[in-house]
Amino acid sequence: MAKSSGKQPEINENPLIAELLAHGVENARVLQGFIGPSHDERYVTLYQDLRRLGDSVDISRDDILHTMKVPQSTLGAVVLWIKDDAQISVRRTETDAAPTSGPGSLQEVTQGRLRMKMRTKHAADCMSVCMDCLSWCSCSICTSQCKPQ
């Protein structure tokens, strides 16, 4: 067995971990995104995806334990540590996946008390069974052989 020289290697604590623990974030939730305009100055509005700005999270400023800019983000992303029991408000937008015009689009039709969505007239001209569409479509869209019926 080799003798120890008596000198221990220097082991430094991670400064970020030390700072987070000083702010009491042991049981915190972590959210990352971009701070945007808020409707109420008591809250921070966080946008987690730049592609879906209709989706956001409102967090009370009192529930934020620590915040930090994401070092590698050139767009200004931040990380928020929030209280584990914080009440947050999540807004999500959903869009109708069906096109609103052109082949394959749906049109809302009301007959009596019945309200339904039906395919538009020009979509009914072709029924495709090709693997690319598997639905009503304009035959010019399909890449495989598609024959009007």
Side-chain angles (χ1 to χ4, degrees), residues 33-48 50 53-59 61 76 78 89 91:
F34 304 87
I35 304 294
S38 180
H39 301 292
D40 186 339
E41 61 185 46
R42 296 175 297 163
Y43 291 86
V44 168
T45 301
L46 184 72
Y47 295 86
Q48 294 181 294
L50 292 176
L53 294 178
D55 298 351
S56 62
V57 180
D58 286 331
I59 308 147
R61 290 181 184 271
V78 297
S89 174
R91 268 191 306 280

Side-chain angles (χ1 to χ4, degrees), residues 7-115:
K7 185 176 181 181
Q8 295 291 324
E10 187 174 334
I11 301 175
N12 297 318
E13 65 183 31
N14 183 298
L16 175 60
I17 299 297
E19 184 178 355
L20 291 172
L21 292 174
H23 285 94
V25 300
E26 293 89 353
N27 296 315
R29 290 191 276 176
V30 178
L31 299 176
Q32 182 172 326
F34 304 87
I35 304 294
S38 180
H39 301 292
D40 186 339
E41 61 185 46
R42 296 175 297 163
Y43 291 86
V44 168
T45 301
L46 184 72
Y47 295 86
Q48 294 181 294
D49 189 341
L50 292 176
R51 296 166 295 177
R52 295 189 49 97
L53 294 178
D55 298 351
S56 62
V57 180
D58 286 331
I59 308 147
S60 171
R61 290 181 184 271
D62 293 337
D63 289 334
I64 298 173
L65 299 169
H66 187 66
T67 181
M68 182 181 84
K69 291 182 180 179
V70 176
Q72 66 270 25
S73 173
T74 58
L75 298 174
V78 297
V79 178
L80 300 177
W81 283 264
I82 63 172
K83 293 178 183 176
D84 189 37
D85 61 348
Q87 297 293 316
I88 61 174
S89 174
V90 178
R91 268 191 306 280
R92 293 200 187 276
T93 56
E94 293 187 26
T95 58
D96 189 359
T100 57
S101 64
S105 63
L106 297 177
Q107 177 180 1
E108 194 164 305
V109 177
T110 304
Q111 291 188 355
R113 292 179 14 203
L114 180 62
R115 210 169 85 181

